[in-house]
């Protein structure tokens, strides 16, 4: 069965969430959001936390962080303007801080959540040497910590439009897990600015099965349309139309 | 009985924001007073130290573009799905604002320290981030409660704003302000010396009279002044009450690429060209 | 859909309180689950470490009298206008319970530290009180942010209860619990590993569906189990819902002067004489 | 005009509150509570905070303490099982801690509030050598602090059934301000266990004037009856009856 690149990513991320109970997602992360909703379709004990409409938080903006600190959040997603081979991430900009040549929004909660959430999934669609660099210009959040530094979370996997990597904390290196259909090992090597481990035979990322696709295109699409209407409009146009009729809202 | 906390206009409200004040503002979805932002720009506020709780967007970008901001403490400035914040980005490149880059829970913790009258608050995580080396007001100590030696932990100084400034759905005539589950607005009000609020509407009921409404209400004890400003968050979205004005924000993004374009936006949408009374 | 968090009986609820558990309970006026207190006594709970948030009264005195308590951390134990707490007073004199005397904001601060996942919280004041010299789990350091040398400040370790146990007006079928302005109940639930709640009623509405009710609601995320127990705070007062049973409490004060009299009170009012199923 | 001892105390405490904006009172302090309501009758900018019905706090039990720490509370009241000449107070008990011979409830928030509230008024009706001791057995909250210890509050006055004292922080001593009608300097000296300063001529505590009495017996009595119904029943029986009819509640 044919599926889009986005559907492949959603299904792959949902697999990475297996065994998680509480998954937190950000406002601007429709693909991880869809993956979390898909995981919940498969296991109704999964809760999706974060800045969603009708969210579960009632203690203000600090609650996501307190909740992570209490050990109640199992998985979270971080993007990154730059990601390096030790899983350090940069959300500040390129060049010398503070007068960076390119300035991105800022670190958000990553410097905290990366250390507190057991399974942090790095997600960045663009797979290029611009993004995947030998060494980030600014460490917004470090991939690993010195011995003795309290840490109970960190990088678990990196997923891009081309490939899926796992992170090995002890070795402080990524390991290529699979290459997505349509991409090649050569393309991955050409477009990755850091060195990484890989097996002799690199697998292909499996496409979602028919049941998964129908979950994604049905109930998941409807949930996504409520939270990320613009995204849903491009990926799941039917569900987005339904949601628009129901709420009458532009995205906010 | 209407309390003297209820003021007649948003311009009168922002008279409480002195130049060089430290002003705490909420993130885009929590209740940004864009009405007060426009009033600050009209009165040519200068030298503000913005504390974004914990991020900001159009509000910070407008205030920076209008030259109101000397320092910004924030975990991010972004227009979200509309893209990067153009005047913030330009000011960073030009070095015209002082940056105090932070991470969300650090800003919450600093405000909570002020709320509790303590000089600092510890926070786990963050160590190893370059944020720590660039913030000379942050300190790292060895956790005094650690069972073994070492265990470094970050300490954040209290953030005590001069002013907390935000928008809420309603206030009563005593000056009690209903903020629902946007609890960071209460922390801001407790932490700040003065709290200035615009509201969609001023209502006749006493918000503290029932446990139901009191649960989501900032008591007037913490509120310096309230002004009515219907649609006071526009063009931003306000909770579920109204959506963002996508066309206007897109136009902002387009115009604000240049300082001239920014000035045209301000003149068109904020009445920046009109003669206004300076507040003080 | 009724969540599996909703349990059939208060006895089933307190099965979640293991012997030797650290149990946080609120002060008399905030929502004390006297129904769960009776169930704990019926199942002969032992070795509990009570954390009173920040004080207790009849609940602590009953649990102490029934031999359930090994340690009590509290800022006070008092029956208020009914007088001193007789079994607490007797246990102190006999040395049969370990005392961790505290002061109200120190207990709140310890719970907030647990809520925030930090190992300690600073607190101003308290220095010079003999409390500090008797609490070897409290530490004093020099404030690292002080401009001049010295400036000692108290640090309190996080209090992370195994269980938070209280009574609230209502829960919905998902296990969301409405607590109105009794915000310390939310702090307790965030800080504790498990939260067990009795409620006056279980309602059909989703308490998180509107901002109005959500503002005063603990999400089910933090709630382990809920049992319905109408008048579950009696003989204590419960908010404005019902007053204290003054006659019964006066009788308690009279009987509990002696351990024998205490046993008669328990047999008469708590069903202590009946055969009951031990929870585990 | 005749007034009761309680009315004299209420009027005297209200005078001590002059210039205060936010006055906090405890649940079991009807006389200070009445004094705070009287102060509010005279100046409507005064707010009375604390554990009252329909109180102004919405952030739970911690708010009184946070509010004091923010510098928003100008005056508060503390009792004390023992009070000594340096204004140390003991709310724990007599004898050696922890197995005190007599055990009182505990320190409540005093160890904190005594250091944070500028004008703490010590209020204890019993004036005896049992209460006013040379040295407390346990310092629940110290009257003064060592140099360099952060403190911005402390004892302002001590009022008993017999007399009013002011506290001089620099000298760490009480000074007798006035003796209530019906008591004498000799009785005060006989019944005070600590040494204190006094002027050559000791004044008599002035009785409330007619206007003050009518405020107390009218609007103040009605407010007190709502918060402290049992107390009001004995002091202001008419107002208490009104309140009982209105609420139908026993005290709780």
């Amino acid at each position: 069965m044919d599926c889009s690149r986005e559907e492949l990513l959603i299904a792959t991320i949902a697999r990475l969430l297996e065994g998680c109970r509480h998954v937190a997602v950000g406002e601007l992360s429709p693909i991880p959001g869809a993956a979390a909703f898909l995981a919940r379709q498969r296991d109704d004990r999964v809760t999706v936390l974060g800045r969603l409409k009708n969210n579960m938080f009632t203690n203000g903006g600090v609650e996501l962080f307190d909740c992570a600190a209490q050990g109640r959040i199992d998985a979270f997603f971080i993007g990154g303007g730059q990601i390096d081979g030790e899983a350090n991430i940069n959300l500040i900009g390129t060049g010398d801080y503070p007068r960076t040549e390119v300035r991105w929004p800022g670190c958000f909660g990553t410097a905290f959540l990366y250390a507190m959430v057991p399974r942090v999934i790095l997600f960045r669609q663009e797979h290029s040497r611009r993004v995947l660099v030998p060494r980030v210009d600014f460490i917004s959040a470090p991939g690993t910590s010195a011995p003795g530094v309290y840490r109970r979370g960190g990088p678990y996997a990196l997923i891009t439009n081309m490939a899926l990597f796992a992170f090995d904390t002890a070795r402080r290196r990524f390991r290529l897990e699979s290459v997505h259909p349509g991409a090649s090992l050569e393309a991955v090597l050409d477009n990755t600015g850091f060195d990484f481990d890989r097996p002799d035979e690199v697998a292909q990322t499996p496409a979602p099965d028919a049941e998964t696709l129908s979950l994604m295109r049905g109930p998941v699409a409807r949930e996504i349309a409520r939270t990320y209407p613009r995204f849903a409009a491009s990926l799941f146009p039917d569900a987005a139309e339904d949601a628009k009729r129901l709420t009458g809202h532009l995205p906010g | 009985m209407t309390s003297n906390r209820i003021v007649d206009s948003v311009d009168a409200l922002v008279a409480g924001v002195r130049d060089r004040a430290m002003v705490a503002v909420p993130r885009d979805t929590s209740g940004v007073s864009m009405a007060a932002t426009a009033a600050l720009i009209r009165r040519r506020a200068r030298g503000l130290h913005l504390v974004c709780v914990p991020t900001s967007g159009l509000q910070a970008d407008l205030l920076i573009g209008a030259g109101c901001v000397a320092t910004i403490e924030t975990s991010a400035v972004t227009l979200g799905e509309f893209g990067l914040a153009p005047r913030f980005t330009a000011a960073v490149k030009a070095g015209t604002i002082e940056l105090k880059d932070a991470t969300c829970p650090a800003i919450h913790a600093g405000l909570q320290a002020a709320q509790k009258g303590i000089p600092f608050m510890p926070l786990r995580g963050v160590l190893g981030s370059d944020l720590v080396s660039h913030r000379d007001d942050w300190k790292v100590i060895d956790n005094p409660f650690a069972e073994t030696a070492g265990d470094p932990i970050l300490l954040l100084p209290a953030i005590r704003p001069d002013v907390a400034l935000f928008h809420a759905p309603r206030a009563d005539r005593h000056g009690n302000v209903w903020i629902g589950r946007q609890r960071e607005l209460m922390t801001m009000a407790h932490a700040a010396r003065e709290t200035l609020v615009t509201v969609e509407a001023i209502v006749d009921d006493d918000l503290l009279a029932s446990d139901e409404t009191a649960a989501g209400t900032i008591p007037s004890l913490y509120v310096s002044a309230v002004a009515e400003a219907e649609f006071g968050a526009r063009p931003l979205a306000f909770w579920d009450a109204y959506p963002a004005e996508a066309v206007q924000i897109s136009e902002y993004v387009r115009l604000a690429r240049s300082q001239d374009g920014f000035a045209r936006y301000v003149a068109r949408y904020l009445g920046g060209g009109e003669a206004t009374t300076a507040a003080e």
Side-chain angles (χ1 to χ4, degrees), chain A, chain B:
Chain A
M1 200 166 172
D2 270 0
C3 77
S4 68
R5 174 56 37 94
E6 285 78 9
E7 286 170 336
L8 178 82
L9 295 173
I10 292 167
T12 306
I13 294 171
R15 272 207 323 278
L16 297 171
L17 297 176
E18 268 167 30
C20 288
R21 179 78 191 275
H22 301 304
V23 179
V25 298
E27 257 163 313
L28 294 167
S29 310
I31 288 177
F37 289 133
L38 176 57
R40 190 169 68 184
Q41 284 295 324
R42 291 197 176 127
D43 178 352
D44 64 10
R45 291 168 309 171
V46 170
T47 60
V48 182
L49 303 171
R51 296 167 181 175
L52 314 169
K53 282 187 198 292
N54 301 325
N55 72 67
M56 244 210 183
F57 288 146
T58 60
N59 202 35
V62 76
E63 186 170 359
L64 171 66
F65 307 104
D66 286 352
C67 195
Q70 292 154 25
R72 296 185 204 266
I73 296 182
D74 304 313
F76 185 69
F77 303 91
I78 300 182
Q82 294 178 328
I83 299 168
D84 70 23
E86 296 192 0
N88 298 308
I89 59 170
N90 175 6
L91 296 160
I92 286 283
T94 62
D96 285 341
Y97 186 85
R99 292 182 62 176
T100 41
E101 291 152 40
V102 174
R103 168 73 202 208
W104 298 316
C107 297
F108 293 96
T110 57
F112 177 79
L113 293 169
Y114 212 23
M116 301 305 267
V117 176
R119 208 178 283 189
V120 175
I121 297 166
L122 302 176
F123 173 67
R124 179 75 201 249
Q125 287 187 263
E126 178 179 337
H127 191 134
S128 71
R129 285 176 177 265
R130 202 177 71 113
V131 171
L132 306 177
V133 296
R135 181 77 189 167
V136 294
D137 290 2
F138 186 102
I139 299 177
S140 290
T144 58
S145 297
V149 171
Y150 179 93
R151 180 163 193 162
R152 63 160 186 242
Y156 179 73
L158 163 64
I159 181 163
T160 70
N161 267 344
M162 282 192 192
L164 169 68
F165 299 84
F167 188 71
D168 183 330
T169 300
R171 291 169 48 78
R172 304 171 70 173
R173 282 173 69 85
F174 285 105
R175 188 184 67 245
L176 184 63
E177 289 287 304
S178 64
V179 172
H180 304 336
S184 66
L185 175 61
E186 289 63 38
V188 169
L189 287 165
D190 281 353
N191 289 286
T192 306
F194 56 75
D195 200 31
F196 55 88
D197 297 332
R198 58 189 160 104
D200 295 336
E201 290 290 322
V202 177
Q204 193 179 68
T205 309
D209 59 22
E211 188 212 337
T212 301
L213 275 176
S214 85
L215 281 175
M216 272 197 274
R217 292 170 184 176
V220 171
R222 284 190 295 273
E223 290 204 75
I224 279 295
R226 276 204 296 273
T227 306
Y228 309 99
R230 286 195 168 187
F231 172 75
S234 66
L235 186 61
F236 308 114
D238 294 349
E241 267 310 304
D242 285 356
K244 212 165 152 192
R245 244 195 351 265
L246 287 170
T247 68
H249 273 190
L250 283 169
Chain B
M1 186 191 72
T2 293
S3 151
N4 55 12
R5 289 186 177 85
I6 311 298
V7 299
D8 286 340
S9 71
V10 180
D11 290 306
L13 186 85
V14 302
V17 184
R18 290 179 190 76
D19 284 353
R20 289 172 300 283
M22 183 189 285
V23 183
V25 294
R27 64 192 169 99
D28 274 1
T29 53
S30 288
V32 173
S33 182
M34 292 304 290
T37 306
L40 283 170
I41 292 172
R42 282 197 298 271
R43 88 151 182 81
R44 303 181 194 286
R46 286 296 174 267
L48 299 182
H49 178 151
L50 270 195
V51 175
C52 308
V53 186
T55 63
S56 188
L58 185 62
Q59 180 180 35
D61 209 59
L62 276 167
L63 289 170
I64 291 168
C68 305
V69 178
T71 302
I72 185 166
E73 173 156 15
T74 190
S75 305
V77 181
T78 171
L79 304 183
E81 58 183 335
F82 298 96
L84 296 174
R87 299 329 297 159
F88 166 69
T89 308
V92 168
K93 197 172 289 184
T96 51
I97 53 171
E98 187 190 348
L99 285 181
K100 290 165 85 84
D101 267 295
T103 183
C104 305
I107 289 178
H108 291 301
L111 289 168
Q112 289 180 303
Q115 177 180 31
K116 302 190 75 57
I118 52 181
F120 62 89
M121 183 84 93
L123 185 68
R124 283 299 193 187
V126 191
L127 300 178
S129 165
D130 286 341
L131 288 174
V132 179
S133 46
H134 289 286
R135 287 294 301 257
D136 55 12
D137 55 338
W138 292 0
K139 288 184 194 297
V140 178
I141 65 165
D142 280 349
N143 171 15
F145 292 86
E147 280 164 30
T148 56
D151 190 17
I153 186 166
L154 181 64
L155 304 184
L156 304 154
I159 298 171
R160 186 160 191 200
D162 297 304
V163 177
L165 177 66
F166 54 83
H167 186 70
R170 55 187 180 275
D172 66 22
R173 297 196 182 279
H174 305 286
N176 301 306
V177 176
W178 193 78
I179 50 107
R181 63 169 102 183
Q182 308 297 324
R183 207 74 187 178
E184 63 273 28
L185 301 177
M186 189 174 294
T187 304
M188 286 162 59
H190 285 204
R193 290 181 179 84
E194 307 279 339
T195 292
L196 306 176
V197 188
T198 55
V199 293
E200 290 291 312
I202 290 170
V203 298
D204 289 328
D205 301 340
D206 178 349
L207 292 168
L208 294 183
S210 83
D211 279 320
E212 275 68 18
T213 54
T217 294
I218 302 175
S220 61
L221 172 62
Y222 303 94
V223 177
S224 313
V226 178
E228 200 169 64
E230 204 185 351
F231 299 112
R234 275 193 180 162
L236 295 176
F238 183 54
W239 301 15
D240 289 333
Y242 43 87
E245 303 280 312
V247 172
Q248 186 181 334
I249 300 175
S250 299
E251 188 175 358
Y252 177 78
V253 171
R254 189 174 55 77
L255 286 172
R257 276 186 213 132
S258 72
Q259 190 65 41
D260 282 355
F262 175 83
R264 285 202 300 281
Y265 177 91
V266 168
R268 186 173 312 163
Y269 288 105
L270 278 71
E274 298 167 23
T276 53
T277 316
E280 55 190 316

